Amino acid sequence: AAHRILTETRQFLREDGQLMLFDPARCQPSRSAGRATKVAWLCHMVDAGDLAALDPSFAAMPTAEREQFLAHWVSRAAPVVMSRIAVRSTLGHAVEFHPIMLPFTSRWVKEAIDARTLAPARALVQQGVDTAADLGCELVSLGQYTSMVTLNGTRLESRGLGVTTGNSYAIALALQAVRRACRERGLRTAEATLVVAGATGNIGRICAEILAGQFRKVILVGSARPGSLARLKALATTLPNAMVATDLSAAAKGDVVVSAMNAVNAPLEDGHLALGAVMCDLAVPASVRPDVIARRPDLLVIKGGIAALPFREDLQIAAFPRPAGQAYGCMAESMLLGFEGIRDRRFTGQLTPDHVARVARMADRHGFTLAAPKTTCVLGTDHCELLHA
């Protein structure tokens, strides 16, 4: 199958030998786009199963063979321009949104991060930025692991584009989702314990900083690696009633659990979640598998970081089949900054609660809201979610 794919795509080979899988029919400007500001969102495959969404002929290939194919393909392929969609604001502004998929999976890039061999991944992210510039985009948002491998966007040549990690609006939406879930459960946060798993990351840290003062107790969960543990302890000293843990079993003490872990193996099991807990899962792939949720009807598991677009445009991104009218927070942030005319790098690097508040105000101005929470499925359909698990 790999040989057939490579043979049939020779017509798309660039002069430098890289594959440029670009479908002109799907990338024509929307009739309503006009002179809308162009923005881009960089993403990548969640896992090798996404190959079947991009090309159905891969559905019959065993997972191990897909992984082998991708391992050979990643050094030969260029960014894939997925679609081009006009998105509108309630104030009358519009952006032309360009999702650009990079040819690697979450597992591949996580292994690169763990091995500290980031150069190949960073080079691919840079290619994505270059592609956005060639498309005439004015701003690019770094989705999924593309932010991590570039140190929150600080290790990129911007090519004159504005750059954002997209994390500010993802955090704002997650906080809204947690507060709404607590209201629905009748949970008094002043009497409850908050657990933040992945607390040393950019997203987990800000969630902890903003939410900590609202809870009786805070448990920050991270890894036992010396650098990570030191950052965890330093964060704890800045928060009220905070303690640290390096074992996921500590999550079972939480009435509310926010997961911002960078893990590809869905590490949260039944025993990691307390009876009746509220969990906001910000990770893609998810931190908790659907079968865990099915066995635990006492849990309220919500997918944070999902925005509802005011005019319900369908973003048409294969392998990210969100319902029409919905976008991940990092996608939506590129749209909001495009509406606002922001063309710099102020939303990269170390974020602060102020970044989150500013983007939340932008969302209010332009009619973006928190989407209805999904309790079982991250990627749009239960079938797709089970395949990922």
Side-chain angles (χ1 to χ4, degrees), residues 177 279-284 286 301-306 328 373-374 377-378:
M279 181 190 170
C280 180
D281 195 354
L282 283 163
V284 176
V301 180
I302 56 177
K303 181 62 186 176
I306 306 297
Y328 288 109
K374 296 188 71 63
C377 175
V378 175

Side-chain angles (χ1 to χ4, degrees), residues 41-48 50 101 104-110 113 142-148 167 170 197 203 258-268 279-289 302-306 317-322 327-331 374 377-380 384-385 388-389:
W41 175 66
L42 301 189
C43 60
H44 56 78
M45 287 174 280
V46 175
D47 64 20
D50 285 340
M101 182 173 286
F104 54 77
T105 65
S106 300
R107 184 177 297 278
W108 181 86
V109 72
K110 182 64 165 56
I113 291 170
L142 305 175
Q144 297 171 275
Y145 283 79
T146 65
S147 175
M148 283 190 65
N167 288 340
I203 292 177
V258 175
S259 175
M261 291 187 292
N262 296 304
V264 296
N265 59 345
L268 287 175
M279 181 190 170
C280 180
D281 195 354
L282 283 163
V284 176
S287 299
V288 59
R289 297 191 309 274
I302 56 177
K303 181 62 186 176
I306 306 297
I317 309 173
F320 286 89
R322 292 232 58 81
Y328 288 109
C330 53
M331 297 177 184
K374 296 188 71 63
C377 175
V378 175
L379 295 176
C384 185
E385 179 69 6
H388 280 273

Side-chain angles (χ1 to χ4, degrees), residues 2 32 38 41 52-53 96 101 144 169 173 193 195 208 221 264 349 386:
S32 61
K38 296 181 180 180
W41 175 66
E96 195 172 280
M101 182 173 286
Q144 297 171 275
Y169 192 39
L173 289 163
T193 296
V195 171
V221 181
V264 296
L386 289 170

